[in-house]
mmCIF file of all heavy atoms in Angstrom:
data_model
loop_
_atom_site.group_PDB
_atom_site.id
_atom_site.type_symbol
_atom_site.label_atom_id
_atom_site.label_comp_id
_atom_site.label_asym_id
_atom_site.label_seq_id
_atom_site.Cartn_x
_atom_site.Cartn_y
_atom_site.Cartn_z
ATOM 1 N N TYR A 223 17.278 -5.267 2.202
ATOM 2 C CA TYR A 223 16.373 -5.382 1.040
ATOM 3 C C TYR A 223 16.383 -4.205 0.204
ATOM 4 O O TYR A 223 16.483 -4.287 -1.033
ATOM 5 C CB TYR A 223 14.978 -5.803 1.569
ATOM 6 C CG TYR A 223 13.954 -6.170 0.588
ATOM 7 C CD1 TYR A 223 13.668 -7.636 0.541
ATOM 8 C CD2 TYR A 223 13.249 -5.339 -0.251
ATOM 9 C CE1 TYR A 223 12.812 -8.130 -0.434
ATOM 10 C CE2 TYR A 223 12.234 -5.955 -1.107
ATOM 11 C CZ TYR A 223 12.045 -7.255 -1.197
ATOM 12 O OH TYR A 223 11.137 -7.658 -2.119
ATOM 13 N N ARG A 233 21.925 -2.327 -12.000
ATOM 14 C CA ARG A 233 22.214 -3.268 -13.044
ATOM 15 C C ARG A 233 21.144 -3.194 -14.252
ATOM 16 O O ARG A 233 21.567 -3.206 -15.478
ATOM 17 C CB ARG A 233 22.168 -4.779 -12.489
ATOM 18 C CG ARG A 233 22.471 -5.825 -13.578
ATOM 19 C CD ARG A 233 22.676 -7.272 -12.906
ATOM 20 N NE ARG A 233 21.499 -7.702 -12.258
ATOM 21 C CZ ARG A 233 21.264 -8.850 -11.564
ATOM 22 N NH1 ARG A 233 22.283 -9.599 -11.590
ATOM 23 N NH2 ARG A 233 20.172 -9.094 -11.031
ATOM 24 N N LYS A 241 16.528 -8.038 -17.283
ATOM 25 C CA LYS A 241 15.217 -8.400 -16.725
ATOM 26 C C LYS A 241 14.611 -9.614 -17.439
ATOM 27 O O LYS A 241 14.104 -10.509 -16.792
ATOM 28 C CB LYS A 241 14.296 -7.130 -16.912
ATOM 29 C CG LYS A 241 12.946 -7.454 -16.383
ATOM 30 C CD LYS A 241 11.972 -6.199 -16.542
ATOM 31 C CE LYS A 241 10.491 -6.454 -16.078
ATOM 32 N NZ LYS A 241 9.707 -5.269 -16.269
ATOM 33 N N LYS A 242 14.786 -9.626 -18.765
ATOM 34 C CA LYS A 242 14.324 -10.799 -19.458
ATOM 35 C C LYS A 242 15.310 -11.933 -19.702
ATOM 36 O O LYS A 242 15.004 -13.055 -19.610
ATOM 37 C CB LYS A 242 13.717 -10.260 -20.845
ATOM 38 C CG LYS A 242 12.432 -9.483 -20.670
ATOM 39 C CD LYS A 242 11.747 -9.329 -22.068
ATOM 40 C CE LYS A 242 10.300 -8.836 -21.978
ATOM 41 N NZ LYS A 242 9.425 -9.808 -21.243
ATOM 42 N N SER A 245 21.641 -12.400 -16.614
ATOM 43 C CA SER A 245 22.937 -11.699 -16.665
ATOM 44 C C SER A 245 23.995 -12.594 -17.278
ATOM 45 O O SER A 245 25.247 -12.214 -17.145
ATOM 46 C CB SER A 245 23.261 -11.204 -15.176
ATOM 47 O OG SER A 245 23.295 -12.305 -14.420
ATOM 48 N N ASN A 246 23.681 -13.735 -17.824
ATOM 49 C CA ASN A 246 24.798 -14.611 -18.369
ATOM 50 C C ASN A 246 25.579 -13.913 -19.469
ATOM 51 O O ASN A 246 26.640 -14.149 -19.701
ATOM 52 C CB ASN A 246 24.101 -15.836 -18.923
ATOM 53 C CG ASN A 246 23.997 -16.943 -17.866
ATOM 54 O OD1 ASN A 246 23.206 -16.682 -17.007
ATOM 55 N ND2 ASN A 246 24.889 -17.946 -17.835
ATOM 56 N N ILE A 248 26.146 -10.637 -20.075
ATOM 57 C CA ILE A 248 26.838 -9.237 -19.746
ATOM 58 C C ILE A 248 28.162 -9.577 -19.106
ATOM 59 O O ILE A 248 28.283 -10.568 -18.435
ATOM 60 C CB ILE A 248 25.891 -8.346 -19.089
ATOM 61 C CG1 ILE A 248 25.524 -8.947 -17.673
ATOM 62 C CG2 ILE A 248 24.597 -8.074 -19.865
ATOM 63 C CD1 ILE A 248 24.914 -7.880 -16.764
ATOM 64 N N LYS A 265 25.774 -9.971 0.824
ATOM 65 C CA LYS A 265 24.710 -10.931 0.744
ATOM 66 C C LYS A 265 23.878 -10.790 -0.474
ATOM 67 O O LYS A 265 23.487 -11.705 -1.192
ATOM 68 C CB LYS A 265 23.789 -10.850 2.025
ATOM 69 C CG LYS A 265 24.398 -11.480 3.262
ATOM 70 C CD LYS A 265 23.289 -11.980 4.221
ATOM 71 C CE LYS A 265 23.987 -12.755 5.366
ATOM 72 N NZ LYS A 265 23.076 -13.328 6.242
ATOM 73 N N SER A 268 25.612 -11.708 -3.667
ATOM 74 C CA SER A 268 25.443 -13.195 -4.016
ATOM 75 C C SER A 268 23.981 -13.550 -4.586
ATOM 76 O O SER A 268 23.865 -14.191 -5.607
ATOM 77 C CB SER A 268 25.559 -14.090 -2.747
ATOM 78 O OG SER A 268 26.882 -13.955 -2.234
ATOM 79 N N PHE A 269 23.043 -13.058 -3.947
ATOM 80 C CA PHE A 269 21.577 -13.280 -4.244
ATOM 81 C C PHE A 269 21.318 -12.930 -5.717
ATOM 82 O O PHE A 269 20.643 -13.551 -6.450
ATOM 83 C CB PHE A 269 20.722 -12.510 -3.342
ATOM 84 C CG PHE A 269 19.283 -13.006 -3.235
ATOM 85 C CD1 PHE A 269 18.997 -14.208 -2.673
ATOM 86 C CD2 PHE A 269 18.252 -12.324 -3.905
ATOM 87 C CE1 PHE A 269 17.654 -14.698 -2.724
ATOM 88 C CE2 PHE A 269 16.991 -12.787 -3.688
ATOM 89 C CZ PHE A 269 16.664 -14.032 -3.193
ATOM 90 N N LEU A 270 21.876 -11.764 -6.073
ATOM 91 C CA LEU A 270 21.540 -11.135 -7.438
ATOM 92 C C LEU A 270 22.431 -11.805 -8.533
ATOM 93 O O LEU A 270 22.262 -11.553 -9.713
ATOM 94 C CB LEU A 270 21.950 -9.719 -7.437
ATOM 95 C CG LEU A 270 21.025 -8.787 -6.567
ATOM 96 C CD1 LEU A 270 21.676 -7.500 -6.345
ATOM 97 C CD2 LEU A 270 19.657 -8.544 -7.336
ATOM 98 N N GLY A 271 23.252 -12.793 -8.104
ATOM 99 C CA GLY A 271 24.084 -13.551 -9.162
ATOM 100 C C GLY A 271 25.347 -12.767 -9.639
ATOM 101 O O GLY A 271 26.000 -13.045 -10.597
ATOM 102 N N GLU A 274 29.898 -12.347 -4.217
ATOM 103 C CA GLU A 274 30.534 -11.642 -3.142
ATOM 104 C C GLU A 274 31.984 -11.164 -3.551
ATOM 105 O O GLU A 274 32.412 -10.181 -3.259
ATOM 106 C CB GLU A 274 30.784 -12.656 -2.040
ATOM 107 C CG GLU A 274 29.778 -12.704 -0.905
ATOM 108 C CD GLU A 274 30.100 -13.742 0.140
ATOM 109 O OE1 GLU A 274 31.251 -14.118 0.254
ATOM 110 O OE2 GLU A 274 29.212 -14.223 0.848
ATOM 111 N N ASP A 275 32.644 -12.056 -4.424
ATOM 112 C CA ASP A 275 34.084 -11.702 -4.775
ATOM 113 C C ASP A 275 34.035 -10.516 -5.567
ATOM 114 O O ASP A 275 35.020 -9.850 -5.935
ATOM 115 C CB ASP A 275 34.659 -12.845 -5.534
ATOM 116 C CG ASP A 275 35.067 -13.989 -4.652
ATOM 117 O OD1 ASP A 275 34.858 -13.771 -3.429
ATOM 118 O OD2 ASP A 275 35.430 -15.113 -5.162
ATOM 119 N N GLN A 381 9.451 -2.701 11.423
ATOM 120 C CA GLN A 381 10.277 -2.267 10.459
ATOM 121 C C GLN A 381 9.691 -1.069 9.722
ATOM 122 O O GLN A 381 8.440 -1.152 9.415
ATOM 123 C CB GLN A 381 10.673 -3.262 9.392
ATOM 124 C CG GLN A 381 9.409 -3.707 8.538
ATOM 125 C CD GLN A 381 9.441 -5.061 7.919
ATOM 126 O OE1 GLN A 381 10.042 -6.061 8.526
ATOM 127 N NE2 GLN A 381 8.900 -5.154 6.777
ATOM 128 N N PHE A 397 10.389 -3.455 -12.274
ATOM 129 C CA PHE A 397 9.625 -4.463 -11.554
ATOM 130 C C PHE A 397 8.341 -4.906 -12.178
ATOM 131 O O PHE A 397 7.656 -5.896 -11.713
ATOM 132 C CB PHE A 397 9.468 -4.232 -10.117
ATOM 133 C CG PHE A 397 10.824 -4.289 -9.308
ATOM 134 C CD1 PHE A 397 11.313 -3.103 -8.893
ATOM 135 C CD2 PHE A 397 11.497 -5.470 -9.321
ATOM 136 C CE1 PHE A 397 12.547 -3.094 -8.159
ATOM 137 C CE2 PHE A 397 12.713 -5.471 -8.665
ATOM 138 C CZ PHE A 397 13.176 -4.417 -8.032
ATOM 139 N N GLN A 406 -5.825 -5.198 -12.659
ATOM 140 C CA GLN A 406 -6.661 -5.269 -13.697
ATOM 141 C C GLN A 406 -6.787 -3.856 -14.364
ATOM 142 O O GLN A 406 -6.810 -2.820 -13.675
ATOM 143 C CB GLN A 406 -8.152 -5.560 -13.291
ATOM 144 C CG GLN A 406 -8.411 -6.859 -12.866
ATOM 145 C CD GLN A 406 -8.214 -6.935 -11.334
ATOM 146 O OE1 GLN A 406 -7.624 -6.121 -10.685
ATOM 147 N NE2 GLN A 406 -8.726 -8.058 -10.707
ATOM 148 N N ASP A 408 -9.048 -2.802 -16.344
ATOM 149 C CA ASP A 408 -10.380 -2.235 -16.563
ATOM 150 C C ASP A 408 -11.113 -1.829 -15.172
ATOM 151 O O ASP A 408 -12.414 -1.932 -15.131
ATOM 152 C CB ASP A 408 -11.296 -3.190 -17.428
ATOM 153 C CG ASP A 408 -11.170 -4.702 -16.890
ATOM 154 O OD1 ASP A 408 -10.473 -4.861 -15.863
ATOM 155 O OD2 ASP A 408 -11.754 -5.573 -17.383
ATOM 156 N N TYR A 421 6.951 -3.189 -7.297
ATOM 157 C CA TYR A 421 7.623 -3.866 -6.327
ATOM 158 C C TYR A 421 7.983 -5.216 -6.624
ATOM 159 O O TYR A 421 7.451 -5.781 -7.510
ATOM 160 C CB TYR A 421 6.823 -3.851 -5.043
ATOM 161 C CG TYR A 421 6.347 -2.654 -4.496
ATOM 162 C CD1 TYR A 421 4.985 -2.483 -4.040
ATOM 163 C CD2 TYR A 421 7.124 -1.585 -4.559
ATOM 164 C CE1 TYR A 421 4.652 -1.170 -3.534
ATOM 165 C CE2 TYR A 421 6.760 -0.271 -4.038
ATOM 166 C CZ TYR A 421 5.377 -0.145 -3.602
ATOM 167 O OH TYR A 421 5.057 1.058 -3.043
ATOM 168 N N LYS A 427 3.549 -5.558 4.252
ATOM 169 C CA LYS A 427 3.081 -4.897 5.473
ATOM 170 C C LYS A 427 2.904 -3.376 5.123
ATOM 171 O O LYS A 427 3.657 -2.842 4.329
ATOM 172 C CB LYS A 427 4.270 -4.849 6.548
ATOM 173 C CG LYS A 427 4.621 -6.152 7.016
ATOM 174 C CD LYS A 427 3.711 -6.700 8.047
ATOM 175 C CE LYS A 427 3.571 -5.869 9.330
ATOM 176 N NZ LYS A 427 2.570 -6.414 10.351
ATOM 177 N N TYR A 523 29.183 -5.077 21.646
ATOM 178 C CA TYR A 523 30.657 -5.061 21.587
ATOM 179 C C TYR A 523 31.075 -5.458 20.186
ATOM 180 O O TYR A 523 30.367 -6.225 19.539
ATOM 181 C CB TYR A 523 31.383 -5.554 22.728
ATOM 182 C CG TYR A 523 31.357 -7.205 22.639
ATOM 183 C CD1 TYR A 523 32.305 -7.856 21.873
ATOM 184 C CD2 TYR A 523 30.346 -7.787 23.458
ATOM 185 C CE1 TYR A 523 32.320 -9.257 21.894
ATOM 186 C CE2 TYR A 523 30.333 -9.141 23.354
ATOM 187 C CZ TYR A 523 31.273 -9.913 22.602
ATOM 188 O OH TYR A 523 31.202 -11.282 22.508
ATOM 189 N N ASN A 531 38.236 -6.008 20.596
ATOM 190 C CA ASN A 531 36.816 -5.744 21.054
ATOM 191 C C ASN A 531 36.511 -4.509 21.831
ATOM 192 O O ASN A 531 37.325 -4.258 22.856
ATOM 193 C CB ASN A 531 36.302 -7.037 22.073
ATOM 194 C CG ASN A 531 35.863 -8.103 21.104
ATOM 195 O OD1 ASN A 531 35.034 -7.992 20.297
ATOM 196 N ND2 ASN A 531 36.215 -9.363 21.723
ATOM 197 N N TYR B 43 8.932 -13.497 -1.539
ATOM 198 C CA TYR B 43 10.445 -13.515 -1.022
ATOM 199 C C TYR B 43 10.976 -15.022 -0.841
ATOM 200 O O TYR B 43 11.965 -15.359 -1.113
ATOM 201 C CB TYR B 43 10.433 -12.770 0.306
ATOM 202 C CG TYR B 43 11.788 -12.366 0.738
ATOM 203 C CD1 TYR B 43 12.420 -11.113 0.329
ATOM 204 C CD2 TYR B 43 12.377 -13.198 1.644
ATOM 205 C CE1 TYR B 43 13.529 -10.736 1.021
ATOM 206 C CE2 TYR B 43 13.644 -12.798 2.262
ATOM 207 C CZ TYR B 43 14.194 -11.490 1.790
ATOM 208 O OH TYR B 43 15.485 -11.133 2.462
ATOM 209 N N ARG B 53 19.833 -22.727 -7.154
ATOM 210 C CA ARG B 53 21.041 -22.386 -7.900
ATOM 211 C C ARG B 53 22.279 -22.665 -7.072
ATOM 212 O O ARG B 53 23.323 -23.103 -7.579
ATOM 213 C CB ARG B 53 20.988 -21.006 -8.315
ATOM 214 C CG ARG B 53 22.119 -20.420 -9.085
ATOM 215 C CD ARG B 53 22.022 -19.108 -9.672
ATOM 216 N NE ARG B 53 21.768 -18.099 -8.556
ATOM 217 C CZ ARG B 53 21.650 -16.711 -8.841
ATOM 218 N NH1 ARG B 53 21.557 -16.329 -10.141
ATOM 219 N NH2 ARG B 53 21.519 -15.883 -7.859
ATOM 220 N N LYS B 61 27.828 -18.190 -5.070
ATOM 221 C CA LYS B 61 27.932 -17.243 -3.913
ATOM 222 C C LYS B 61 29.016 -16.281 -3.992
ATOM 223 O O LYS B 61 28.875 -15.121 -3.747
ATOM 224 C CB LYS B 61 27.950 -18.025 -2.534
ATOM 225 C CG LYS B 61 27.882 -17.336 -1.377
ATOM 226 C CD LYS B 61 27.991 -18.172 -0.015
ATOM 227 C CE LYS B 61 28.088 -17.441 1.197
ATOM 228 N NZ LYS B 61 28.281 -18.217 2.391
ATOM 229 N N LYS B 62 30.114 -16.780 -4.334
ATOM 230 C CA LYS B 62 31.319 -15.930 -4.269
ATOM 231 C C LYS B 62 31.533 -15.334 -5.684
ATOM 232 O O LYS B 62 31.990 -14.153 -5.867
ATOM 233 C CB LYS B 62 32.566 -16.704 -3.832
ATOM 234 C CG LYS B 62 32.572 -16.978 -2.282
ATOM 235 C CD LYS B 62 33.978 -17.396 -1.896
ATOM 236 C CE LYS B 62 34.057 -17.273 -0.431
ATOM 237 N NZ LYS B 62 33.935 -15.901 0.122
ATOM 238 N N SER B 65 27.184 -15.500 -11.282
ATOM 239 C CA SER B 65 26.644 -16.554 -12.225
ATOM 240 C C SER B 65 27.065 -16.397 -13.680
ATOM 241 O O SER B 65 26.586 -16.894 -14.482
ATOM 242 C CB SER B 65 25.136 -16.566 -12.104
ATOM 243 O OG SER B 65 24.489 -15.273 -12.486
ATOM 244 N N ASN B 66 28.060 -15.418 -13.916
ATOM 245 C CA ASN B 66 28.485 -15.281 -15.206
ATOM 246 C C ASN B 66 29.047 -16.447 -15.875
ATOM 247 O O ASN B 66 29.010 -16.612 -17.042
ATOM 248 C CB ASN B 66 29.556 -14.084 -15.232
ATOM 249 C CG ASN B 66 28.887 -12.725 -15.363
ATOM 250 O OD1 ASN B 66 28.308 -12.402 -14.355
ATOM 251 N ND2 ASN B 66 28.919 -12.100 -16.488
ATOM 252 N N ILE B 68 28.537 -19.598 -15.254
ATOM 253 C CA ILE B 68 27.767 -20.911 -15.441
ATOM 254 C C ILE B 68 26.815 -20.825 -16.598
ATOM 255 O O ILE B 68 26.479 -19.727 -17.023
ATOM 256 C CB ILE B 68 26.885 -21.259 -14.103
ATOM 257 C CG1 ILE B 68 25.926 -20.182 -13.715
ATOM 258 C CG2 ILE B 68 27.895 -21.381 -12.993
ATOM 259 C CD1 ILE B 68 25.058 -20.468 -12.542
ATOM 260 N N LYS B 85 9.330 -12.385 -11.298
ATOM 261 C CA LYS B 85 9.983 -11.300 -10.774
ATOM 262 C C LYS B 85 11.309 -11.533 -10.020
ATOM 263 O O LYS B 85 12.257 -10.934 -10.227
ATOM 264 C CB LYS B 85 9.087 -10.566 -9.685
ATOM 265 C CG LYS B 85 7.916 -9.868 -10.297
ATOM 266 C CD LYS B 85 7.434 -8.810 -9.345
ATOM 267 C CE LYS B 85 6.469 -7.811 -9.990
ATOM 268 N NZ LYS B 85 6.037 -6.700 -9.253
ATOM 269 N N SER B 88 14.151 -12.456 -12.650
ATOM 270 C CA SER B 88 14.888 -11.231 -12.980
ATOM 271 C C SER B 88 15.820 -10.748 -12.030
ATOM 272 O O SER B 88 16.955 -10.513 -12.281
ATOM 273 C CB SER B 88 13.883 -10.091 -13.235
ATOM 274 O OG SER B 88 13.031 -10.377 -14.388
ATOM 275 N N PHE B 89 15.252 -10.727 -10.796
ATOM 276 C CA PHE B 89 16.139 -10.162 -9.616
ATOM 277 C C PHE B 89 17.399 -10.992 -9.430
ATOM 278 O O PHE B 89 18.479 -10.430 -9.216
ATOM 279 C CB PHE B 89 15.234 -10.188 -8.370
ATOM 280 C CG PHE B 89 15.781 -9.378 -7.266
ATOM 281 C CD1 PHE B 89 15.721 -7.886 -7.334
ATOM 282 C CD2 PHE B 89 16.306 -9.873 -6.201
ATOM 283 C CE1 PHE B 89 16.195 -7.115 -6.267
ATOM 284 C CE2 PHE B 89 16.852 -9.084 -5.089
ATOM 285 C CZ PHE B 89 16.715 -7.646 -5.163
ATOM 286 N N LEU B 90 17.230 -12.348 -9.628
ATOM 287 C CA LEU B 90 18.387 -13.138 -9.329
ATOM 288 C C LEU B 90 19.361 -13.106 -10.563
ATOM 289 O O LEU B 90 20.446 -13.838 -10.445
ATOM 290 C CB LEU B 90 17.822 -14.484 -9.096
ATOM 291 C CG LEU B 90 17.098 -14.759 -7.731
ATOM 292 C CD1 LEU B 90 16.302 -16.179 -7.845
ATOM 293 C CD2 LEU B 90 18.107 -14.954 -6.617
ATOM 294 N N GLY B 91 19.109 -12.477 -11.619
ATOM 295 C CA GLY B 91 19.930 -12.519 -12.744
ATOM 296 C C GLY B 91 19.779 -13.629 -13.600
ATOM 297 O O GLY B 91 20.553 -13.931 -14.499
ATOM 298 N N GLU B 94 13.539 -13.378 -16.782
ATOM 299 C CA GLU B 94 12.182 -13.837 -17.113
ATOM 300 C C GLU B 94 12.032 -14.750 -18.238
ATOM 301 O O GLU B 94 11.221 -15.798 -18.103
ATOM 302 C CB GLU B 94 11.371 -12.468 -17.400
ATOM 303 C CG GLU B 94 10.746 -11.849 -16.294
ATOM 304 C CD GLU B 94 9.920 -10.700 -16.795
ATOM 305 O OE1 GLU B 94 9.541 -10.652 -17.977
ATOM 306 O OE2 GLU B 94 9.692 -9.688 -16.105
ATOM 307 N N ASP B 95 12.770 -14.517 -19.293
ATOM 308 C CA ASP B 95 12.784 -15.452 -20.432
ATOM 309 C C ASP B 95 13.191 -16.927 -20.166
ATOM 310 O O ASP B 95 12.871 -17.774 -21.026
ATOM 311 C CB ASP B 95 13.502 -14.931 -21.580
ATOM 312 C CG ASP B 95 12.838 -13.622 -22.292
ATOM 313 O OD1 ASP B 95 11.805 -13.320 -21.754
ATOM 314 O OD2 ASP B 95 13.589 -13.058 -23.124
ATOM 315 N N GLN B 201 2.094 -10.021 7.963
ATOM 316 C CA GLN B 201 2.607 -11.125 7.192
ATOM 317 C C GLN B 201 3.089 -12.188 8.073
ATOM 318 O O GLN B 201 3.719 -11.930 9.106
ATOM 319 C CB GLN B 201 3.718 -10.630 6.289
ATOM 320 C CG GLN B 201 4.924 -10.198 7.134
ATOM 321 C CD GLN B 201 5.865 -9.249 6.464
ATOM 322 O OE1 GLN B 201 5.633 -8.483 5.616
ATOM 323 N NE2 GLN B 201 7.170 -9.385 6.763
ATOM 324 N N PHE B 217 23.665 -18.482 2.978
ATOM 325 C CA PHE B 217 23.560 -17.029 3.486
ATOM 326 C C PHE B 217 24.561 -16.546 4.401
ATOM 327 O O PHE B 217 24.614 -15.382 4.736
ATOM 328 C CB PHE B 217 22.132 -16.790 3.944
ATOM 329 C CG PHE B 217 21.122 -16.919 2.759
ATOM 330 C CD1 PHE B 217 20.173 -17.824 2.861
ATOM 331 C CD2 PHE B 217 21.287 -16.045 1.706
ATOM 332 C CE1 PHE B 217 19.110 -17.845 1.826
ATOM 333 C CE2 PHE B 217 20.341 -16.132 0.726
ATOM 334 C CZ PHE B 217 19.270 -17.038 0.804
ATOM 335 N N GLN B 226 29.008 -12.291 17.167
ATOM 336 C CA GLN B 226 30.324 -12.482 17.826
ATOM 337 C C GLN B 226 30.418 -13.940 18.275
ATOM 338 O O GLN B 226 29.541 -14.529 18.713
ATOM 339 C CB GLN B 226 30.338 -11.566 19.146
ATOM 340 C CG GLN B 226 30.349 -10.190 18.848
ATOM 341 C CD GLN B 226 28.926 -9.561 18.864
ATOM 342 O OE1 GLN B 226 27.956 -10.198 18.739
ATOM 343 N NE2 GLN B 226 28.805 -8.299 19.032
ATOM 344 N N ASP B 228 32.611 -14.942 20.481
ATOM 345 C CA ASP B 228 32.989 -15.011 21.841
ATOM 346 C C ASP B 228 31.911 -14.727 22.844
ATOM 347 O O ASP B 228 32.098 -14.239 24.026
ATOM 348 C CB ASP B 228 34.264 -14.281 22.261
ATOM 349 C CG ASP B 228 34.123 -12.833 21.558
ATOM 350 O OD1 ASP B 228 33.159 -12.535 21.018
ATOM 351 O OD2 ASP B 228 35.248 -12.048 21.776
ATOM 352 N N TYR B 241 20.073 -15.929 7.086
ATOM 353 C CA TYR B 241 18.989 -15.123 6.351
ATOM 354 C C TYR B 241 19.688 -14.115 5.489
ATOM 355 O O TYR B 241 20.795 -13.655 5.637
ATOM 356 C CB TYR B 241 18.160 -14.359 7.326
ATOM 357 C CG TYR B 241 17.407 -15.094 8.343
ATOM 358 C CD1 TYR B 241 17.343 -14.706 9.650
ATOM 359 C CD2 TYR B 241 16.871 -16.390 7.975
ATOM 360 C CE1 TYR B 241 16.706 -15.573 10.488
ATOM 361 C CE2 TYR B 241 16.261 -17.230 8.837
ATOM 362 C CZ TYR B 241 16.153 -16.635 10.163
ATOM 363 O OH TYR B 241 15.469 -17.570 11.019
ATOM 364 N N LYS B 247 11.060 -8.523 11.094
ATOM 365 C CA LYS B 247 9.783 -8.504 11.881
ATOM 366 C C LYS B 247 9.840 -9.864 12.706
ATOM 367 O O LYS B 247 10.230 -10.953 12.183
ATOM 368 C CB LYS B 247 8.536 -8.493 11.090
ATOM 369 C CG LYS B 247 8.389 -7.180 10.347
ATOM 370 C CD LYS B 247 7.908 -6.038 11.253
ATOM 371 C CE LYS B 247 6.497 -6.314 11.834
ATOM 372 N NZ LYS B 247 6.070 -5.325 12.666
ATOM 373 N N TYR B 343 -12.144 -10.001 -9.514
ATOM 374 C CA TYR B 343 -12.431 -10.588 -10.707
ATOM 375 C C TYR B 343 -11.121 -10.767 -11.457
ATOM 376 O O TYR B 343 -10.254 -10.139 -11.173
ATOM 377 C CB TYR B 343 -13.631 -9.731 -11.531
ATOM 378 C CG TYR B 343 -13.053 -8.449 -12.059
ATOM 379 C CD1 TYR B 343 -12.350 -8.351 -13.330
ATOM 380 C CD2 TYR B 343 -13.238 -7.289 -11.258
ATOM 381 C CE1 TYR B 343 -11.757 -7.143 -13.694
ATOM 382 C CE2 TYR B 343 -12.709 -6.015 -11.627
ATOM 383 C CZ TYR B 343 -12.193 -5.976 -12.982
ATOM 384 O OH TYR B 343 -11.676 -4.713 -13.420
ATOM 385 N N ASN B 351 -13.419 -12.189 -18.227
ATOM 386 C CA ASN B 351 -13.417 -11.869 -16.752
ATOM 387 C C ASN B 351 -14.467 -12.612 -15.915
ATOM 388 O O ASN B 351 -15.663 -12.603 -16.307
ATOM 389 C CB ASN B 351 -13.880 -10.287 -16.578
ATOM 390 C CG ASN B 351 -12.634 -9.338 -16.704
ATOM 391 O OD1 ASN B 351 -11.521 -9.790 -16.080
ATOM 392 N ND2 ASN B 351 -12.832 -8.291 -17.388
#
Side-chain angles (χ1 to χ4, degrees):
Chain A
Y223 195 93
R233 179 172 63 179
K241 181 177 177 183
K242 288 196 167 294
S245 58
N246 275 67
I248 61 170
K265 286 206 169 185
S268 291
F269 196 74
L270 292 160
E274 273 180 19
D275 287 354
Q381 65 201 37
F397 290 118
Q406 297 93 339
D408 46 0
Y421 301 140
K427 295 283 297 181
Y523 69 89
N531 274 319
Chain B
Y43 195 93
R53 180 173 62 179
K61 181 177 177 184
K62 289 196 166 293
S65 59
N66 275 67
I68 61 171
K85 286 205 170 187
S88 291
F89 196 73
L90 292 159
E94 272 180 20
D95 287 355
Q201 66 200 30
F217 289 118
Q226 297 93 338
D228 46 1
Y241 301 140
K247 294 284 295 181
Y343 68 87
N351 273 320

